Amino acid sequence: MTVLEEGQIQIHTENIFPIIKKAVYSGHEVFLRELVSNGVDAISKRRMAAMAGDCAEGEEGVIDIKIDREAMTLTISDNGIGMTTDEVKKYINQVAFSSAEDFLEKYKQESDGIIGHFGLGFYSSFMVSKHVELVTKSACSESKAIRWSCDGSPRFNIQEAERNEAGTDVILHLMDEELEYIEPSRIRTLITKYCDFMPIEVKLEGESINKRNPLWRRNPREITDQEYIELYNYLYPFQGDPLLWVHLNTDYPYNLQGILYFPRIGGRADWEKGEIKLYCNQVFVSDSIKEVVPHYLLPLRGVIDSPDIPLNVSRSALQTDRRVRSIGNFVAKKVADRLRGLKADQPLFYAEAWDALAPFVKIGSMEDEKFADQVADLIMFGTTALASTETDGDTPDPIPCGEKAFTTLSGYQSRLSTEANNRILYCTDEVAQASALSLWTSQGAEILKTETFIDSQFLPWLEARHNDLRFQRVDAELDDTLKDDKPELTDQEGETKSESLRTLMKQALNNDKVTIQVQALKGDNAPPAMILLPEQMRRMNDLGALMDQRLPGLPEHHVLLVNRRHPLVEGLLKLKSGSVLVSTSGVSPTETLAQGLARHLYDMARLGVGGLEPNELAGFQSRSAVLMGQLMDRAF
């Protein structure tokens, strides 16, 4: 066969291939993405050139991949525009140039249809090949087919070749250590990963293996809910159905399409990894898109496809610039718009989904001031108020949700009495704070139900943002509406019941870090005693626990509130007043029993808020057994 030319590839270093292998591409497998992308480009170019009358249109475009186990070769073929000898010299030998740029300049087309730059992408083939051949024939001229060949050194040769139809074959003679790429299953996996949604059919040994026609490129009005769900299940198998989705579509000031899904998060979401897939002109680029999507949206799933996101030369990493930040703002706004529309049009569904949506909205509000403004009226909390049944055409507040109900802050404030002075009552644990919760609700107060982990930071943020709001947990303190303010009588020694009880409790506990308060509480279900944690002190304790990565416990300094109206406390006071000295120790058995019951009262209050550490439970059980025995002795 006649050798038409021999020469040296024009590069500005002695050998480009080590650079490609070590610096440009992070993984060898992307060579297939690059070569298939080049084939898709060539088919798109032929279609445009045919429309301009410069060549025949040819058959429908297709990328064909063939494996030859004996020769240990992998061939990627296309029936695109092909190249002439001069074009091969320019676009293959001179790596610094890009055929895509020249082609677009000639035909004045947008860059959407041209996926990559043939020059550098083609050279990724040398990551897995010891020898590469390129057989190509131009569709735009009467020139013959040629074969370009290179063994990985800067030297090449060009010969005449045989190829009946226009297009290009890239023949890879694989290295011994890269023979995994002659396994059909490996190639199929890579096509599914990188090229599944390319607009051109990709065949492996004659079998079509890519889906094409991505859903995000279609008009949302023409897509059914089932189609959205099927795409989610295809991209994320065995994850169940999505909660809801947001369809992205804009062409100004950048071109971007995509679909983002809210998953049904069963546990704590991964706010660092991210699972959104980034595509460039339907070519998979990365699933690490921290630079594009705001941090608070990283646990979303789905696809973002844009040719305008700046990538490095290998298309494997993002380059941060103003456009990337702008795209992130656009995505956040579209998410906020979707949630606003959902709350307005489907309030019951919005309430049902709120527990899964809340982390995104709350964390996003704290991290992004613009997003906070966009979702300010979408933030909800569970409430003890009964769900509203009257809507008057507006979204009901509270919104019913099964046995629960949800309200916005504005809705809660609209129901506040003037005496409340914008105090927002809330609880974080309906079981641990049951006594205080019951006390407030029995007097008609509405309580918000919050979540400990996020709301421990979110509520102070809300207070800082709204100077007129003051959040108070139900067990922080009690106001006068919960107390019976009738004056107390004094005994013969001039002491009130409250003073006697306070003295007894201080003696029994012998702990200066516990402040004893005695009050008469309203309501038949008011507890005999309860632990109160002043709001700011508790917040400091919770913050310290968060920084130490531990669960918040009961602070050493706290308040024990004793309800003197409770029958158990009244009986305790009678027991103390009836004690008689009967031993040289100065303490009667009745006095000992009274102090034991006082200590038991405190232990129960601590137990109710999770304040008994595991190593203290054994002592509590032992003291309880002794106390029960003493009470049995008195009974018989």
Side-chain angles (χ1 to χ4, degrees), residues 9 11 13-22 123 126-127 148 150-155:
I9 297 169
I11 52 178
T13 182
E14 291 185 358
N15 195 336
I16 193 174
F17 304 110
I19 296 175
I20 291 175
K21 291 181 181 180
K22 295 181 181 180
Y123 277 95
F126 283 95
M127 292 192 299
W148 177 95
C150 180
D151 63 1
S153 71
R155 297 199 60 81

Side-chain angles (χ1 to χ4, degrees), residues 404-433:
K404 301 179 181 179
F406 289 90
T407 184
T408 60
L409 274 180
S410 60
Y412 180 95
Q413 287 180 282
S414 70
R415 296 185 291 274
L416 278 180
S417 63
T418 55
E419 295 80 9
N421 195 26
N422 277 346
R423 177 194 59 200
I424 312 294
L425 291 170
Y426 70 98
C427 71
T428 58
D429 188 325
E430 294 182 65
V431 175
Q433 296 148 28

Side-chain angles (χ1 to χ4, degrees), residues 343-355:
K343 183 173 182 291
D345 300 334
Q346 299 176 264
L348 301 185
F349 177 75
Y350 185 79
E352 292 172 359
W354 175 247
D355 286 341

Side-chain angles (χ1 to χ4, degrees), residues 218-224 228 247 249:
R218 291 170 50 189
N219 188 331
R221 296 185 182 91
E222 300 173 355
I223 304 174
T224 66
Y228 280 113
H247 197 124
N249 190 357

Side-chain angles (χ1 to χ4, degrees), residues 495-513:
E495 191 175 47
T496 65
K497 290 182 178 181
S498 293
E499 291 169 340
S500 297
L501 281 168
R502 188 177 296 108
T503 300
L504 172 62
M505 297 302 299
K506 288 183 68 70
Q507 291 175 345
L509 302 185
N510 191 26
N511 187 346
D512 293 335
K513 296 178 181 179

